[in-house]
């Protein structure tokens, strides 16, 4: 340090640190000498404070630069890199700034991670100037003494010096010749707050960029993608010239774009790989840290006062960040004018996620302007959005005008309905909520002009677009034919008798569904007592109607439930026993022998719809079928009767089993009770033992041969009554004399604790070969049945006694 006066100091005042001889002389008893001594001491203290502050600022810049380089080298976040740097300094026993200077001096040469031991002297790694230095832990970035320029970074006093260090230590090794740091200004402009490598005159000409100039830096600040040197040259004026290759990256802090880092290259565009791009992003993180947040936080009480002082509904939002980007917002609070579009209380919204609270509104456009306003810091004052608010199964479309403004780290969102379009007021909004909850919608019409106006909800009730409003005079066309007279009486009472009337009718929608609806209408009369209009309301009472029907049916059933249940089950059992034959028809002439069994459910109240059939057809083929109608009681029994007789009647047409099941599926769909059932259908030719089969969700047949049992493959086929256009696949096989074909329902093998396939395998192995007596074999199967569901069971077994094979 020079012994002369410090530049910029007061004249005649020696620098801090000069010896006593530098102090001014004082005369004996001179008051002026005492004042001079006090002044000199104050100056020395101020100079010492300035030096300390400069040293701390320089150290912070070096620490930030080292943190960014560690983040790039170790592929971690800046926060993790800062924690790693502090941990390494503690382990090494040196200040963080000293270790940061070492890392900055050798980052370009050192690998990202090095677990190998480094050669050292007897005292460990060498420190600066050849002195023993601290040992560096394994797996960390180890660096010897930095060169003189790197050590000089510790004295960087300001952002400009930090940018020069970024160029020298981070960008220049990549071939860059200039680094520019832009800061976003209130109002959308940009300021060149620091640069290195750009001519002074050109830097001064770019010191301020107005909001209307679309430079690459402004594109990065307003939400554009990262720009790399291989991108097309910009079209407008830019710093350094349009032909200069450049990389432009946003400076992010808490998800907000504070500015942009621009790096320029002198020659052809360099090819930057992933490591080089990560390094530049780390430099951008460093510059964002040094730049600092331009907006001071707003005290919470000031936020609350500002929110409640607004004359429009508004909410205060906090960003939810992921990987440094805003992906959602938390509702901190709402003001006294805010009304939830779905009618929920304000207190229930505090602390909720905006995406979870208004998912459909965010999906239809609410989230994008919020994210953009948070990132860029620029307010959005008049966005008109068509949004949908959905809750409790009801979707409410709305056209909103929104305004978004950053407020410290938060966002202030204000919205109101587009009054220029709909003229809605707060009372109208409350009325809409009440109508939605009560499922009521109003109408008004002018018979003279033919104009009919519907309120929200009627379009959904009728299943028609809003422009297809139905006047009261044509309402009977949309009513069930049985309810047409009641609707016409209502219209006559209102239009001709000029009296208020109401009616309940079944409204038939275009898709065929019905809604039980109450309509009330009143005439609007002019001064002469003539009909000027009609107004009224529709009330969807479907839920109430079905509740009343269910309660009435429940009361009717409870009147004599025990006796009625016994009679119904007895009727179902008698119907089933009357329809199902006790024995199959004689098949001996055809070379076949058959046996059948039907075991009712163990509990009489579980009488089901299991059925079987054995029928010799006109072409000498034998129809074998079993099926199981879903449910129990009279409904299942009547469904069984319909399907069995339909299949018997259709089989004489000569159609195959797949086609027969398609027809049976049509019958099931046309049944009033909407029958669903499983079935398997087999056509067996006694002449050669060939058979064809198809199935509708049923268990496959089993072929029992002298050499063992085989479960036949499963052709594709869904339940009867499930699909309108179902198709059923056919498979073929052949039986030889002695083979037995077994068909059965799931009541034989179904268990609650194991798959059906295991139960089938267990039963067949336990029963063994069929033997000569099929009747006894079926009795044995029923006796050994592992089923535990107390369901009906049907069995059909057919043996090939002989086969008349073609000569």
């Amino acid at each position: 340090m020079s012994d002369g006066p410090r530049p910029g100091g007061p004249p005649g005042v020696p620098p801090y640190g000069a010896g006593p001889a530098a102090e001014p002389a004082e005369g004996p008893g001179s008051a002026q000498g005492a004042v001079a001594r006090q002044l000199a001491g104050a100056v020395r203290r101020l100079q010492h404070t300035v030096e300390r502050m400069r040293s701390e600022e320089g150290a912070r810049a070096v620490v930030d630069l080292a943190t960014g380089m560690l983040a790039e080298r170790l592929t971690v976040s800046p926060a993790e890199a800062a924690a790693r740097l502090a941990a390494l300094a503690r382990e090494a026993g040196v200040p963080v700034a000293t270790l940061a200077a070492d890392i900055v001096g050798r980052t370009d040469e050192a690998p990202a991670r090095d677990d190998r031991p480094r050669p050292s002297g007897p005292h460990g790694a060498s420190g600066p100037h050849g002195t023993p230095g601290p040992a560096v832990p394994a797996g960390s970035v180890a660096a010897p003494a930095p060169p003189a320029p790197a050590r000089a970074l510790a004295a960087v006093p300001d952002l400009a010096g930090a940018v020069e260090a970024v160029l020298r230590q981070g960008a220049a090794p990549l071939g860059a010749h200039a680094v520019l740091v832009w800061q976003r200004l209130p109002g959308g402009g940009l300021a060149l707050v620091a640069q290195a490598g750009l001519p002074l005159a050109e830097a001064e000409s770019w010191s301020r960029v107005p909001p209307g100039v679309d430079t690459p830096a402004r594109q990065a600040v307003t939400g554009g993608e990262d720009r790399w040197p291989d991108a097309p040259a910009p079209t407008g004026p830019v710093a350094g010239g349009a032909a200069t290759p450049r990389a432009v990256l946003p400076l992010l802090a808490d998800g907000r774009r504070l500015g942009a880092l621009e790096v320029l290259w002198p020659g052809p565009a360099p090819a930057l790989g992933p490591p080089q791009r990560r390094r530049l992003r780390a430099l951008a993180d460093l510059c964002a840290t040094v730049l600092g947040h331009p907006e001071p936080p707003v005290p919470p009480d000031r936020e609350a006062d500002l929110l409640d002082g607004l004359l429009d509904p508004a909410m205060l939002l906090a960003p939810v960040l992921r990987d440094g980007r805003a992906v959602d917002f938390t509702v901190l609070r709402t003001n006294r004018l805010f009304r939830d579009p779905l009618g929920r209380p304000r207190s229930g919204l505090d602390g909720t996620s905006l995406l979870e609270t208004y998912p459909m509104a965010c999906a239809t456009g609410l989230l994008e302007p919020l994210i953009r306003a948070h990132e860029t810091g620029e307010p959005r004052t008049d966005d008109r959005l068509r949004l949908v608010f959905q809750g409790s199964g009801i979707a409410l479309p709305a056209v909103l005008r929104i305004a978004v403004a950053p407020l410290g780290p938060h966002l202030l969102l204000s919205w109101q309905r587009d009054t220029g379009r709909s003229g809605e007021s707060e009372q109208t909004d409350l009325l809409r909520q009440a109508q939605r909850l009560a499922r009521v919608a109003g109408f008004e019409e002018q018979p003279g002009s033919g104009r009919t106006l519907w309120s929200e909800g009627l379009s959904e009730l009728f299943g028609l677009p809003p422009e297809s409003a139905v006047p009261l005079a044509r309402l009977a066309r949309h009513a069930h034919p049985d309810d047409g007279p009641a609707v016409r009486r209502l219209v006559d009472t209102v239009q001709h008798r000029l009296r208020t009337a109401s009616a309940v009718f079944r409204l038939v929608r275009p898709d065929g569904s019905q809604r039980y609806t109450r309509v009330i209408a009143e005439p609007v009369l002019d001064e002469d007592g003539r009909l000027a209009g009609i107004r009224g309301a529709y009330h969807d009472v479907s839920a109430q109607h079905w509740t009343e029907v269910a309660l009435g049916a429940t009361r009717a059933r409870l009147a004599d439930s025990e006796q009625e249940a016994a009679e119904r089950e007895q009727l179902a059992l008698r119907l089933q026993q009357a329809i199902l034959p006790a024995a199959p028809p004689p098949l001996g002439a055809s070379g076949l022998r058959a046996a059948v069994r039907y075991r009712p459910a163990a509990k009489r109240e579980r009488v089901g719809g299991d059925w079987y059939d054995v029928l010799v057809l006109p072409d000498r083929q034998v129809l074998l079928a079993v099926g199981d109608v879903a449910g129990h009681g009279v409904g299942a029994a009547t469904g069984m009767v319909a399907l069995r007789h339909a299949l018997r009647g259709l089989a004489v047409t000569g159609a195959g089993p797949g086609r027969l099941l398609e027809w049976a599926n049509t019958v099931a769909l046309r049944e009033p009770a909407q029958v669903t059932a499983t079935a398997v259908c087999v056509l067996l030719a006694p002449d050669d033992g060939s058979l064809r089969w198809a199935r509708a969700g049923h268990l496959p047949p089993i072929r029992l041969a002298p050499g063992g049992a085989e479960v036949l493959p499963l052709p594709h086929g869904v339940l009867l009554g499930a699909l309108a256009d179902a198709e059923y696949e056919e498979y073929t096989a052949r039986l030889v004399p002695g083979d037995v074909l077994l068909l059965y329902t799931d009541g034989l093998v179904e268990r609650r604790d194991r798959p059906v396939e295991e139960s089938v395998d267990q039963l067949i192995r336990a029963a063994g070969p069929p033997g000569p007596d099929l009747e006894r074999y079926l009795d044995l199967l029923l006796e050994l049945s592992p089923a535990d569901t107390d369901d009906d069971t049907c069995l059909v077994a057919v043996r090939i006694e002989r086969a008349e094979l073609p000569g």
Side-chain angles (χ1 to χ4, degrees), residues 64-81:
D64 290 337
L65 182 59
T67 300
M69 291 180 175
L70 279 179
E72 185 271 329
R73 292 291 182 173
L74 302 179
T75 63
V76 296
S77 67
E80 294 173 329

Side-chain angles (χ1 to χ4, degrees), residues 23-94:
E23 296 183 0
E26 65 175 286
S30 172
Q32 184 179 2
V35 172
R37 283 196 302 273
Q38 294 176 0
L39 179 60
V43 170
R44 284 196 297 271
R45 287 193 298 273
L46 290 174
Q47 290 175 337
H48 177 71
T49 301
V50 169
E51 291 291 343
R52 178 172 54 81
M53 292 178 64
R54 287 179 176 175
S55 177
E56 291 176 355
E57 290 178 358
R60 281 199 300 271
V62 174
V63 170
D64 290 337
L65 182 59
T67 300
M69 291 180 175
L70 279 179
E72 185 271 329
R73 292 291 182 173
L74 302 179
T75 63
V76 296
S77 67
E80 294 173 329
R84 178 68 63 87
L85 181 64
L88 291 176
R90 287 196 302 271
E91 295 176 6
V94 297

Side-chain angles (χ1 to χ4, degrees), residues 62 103 183-185 206 233 236 344 388 446-447 488 536 695 716 718:
V62 174
I103 292 175
Q183 184 176 13
R184 173 178 54 82
L185 299 176
W206 284 97
R344 294 168 293 193
V388 177
Q446 298 172 353
R488 283 188 284 270
R695 57 180 285 273
H716 174 73
V718 299

Side-chain angles (χ1 to χ4, degrees), residues 174-201:
L174 300 178
H177 77 282
V179 172
L180 294 76
V181 175
W182 302 91
Q183 184 176 13
R184 173 178 54 82
L185 299 176
L190 293 178
L192 182 61
V193 294
Q195 65 88 21
L198 205 64
L200 181 59

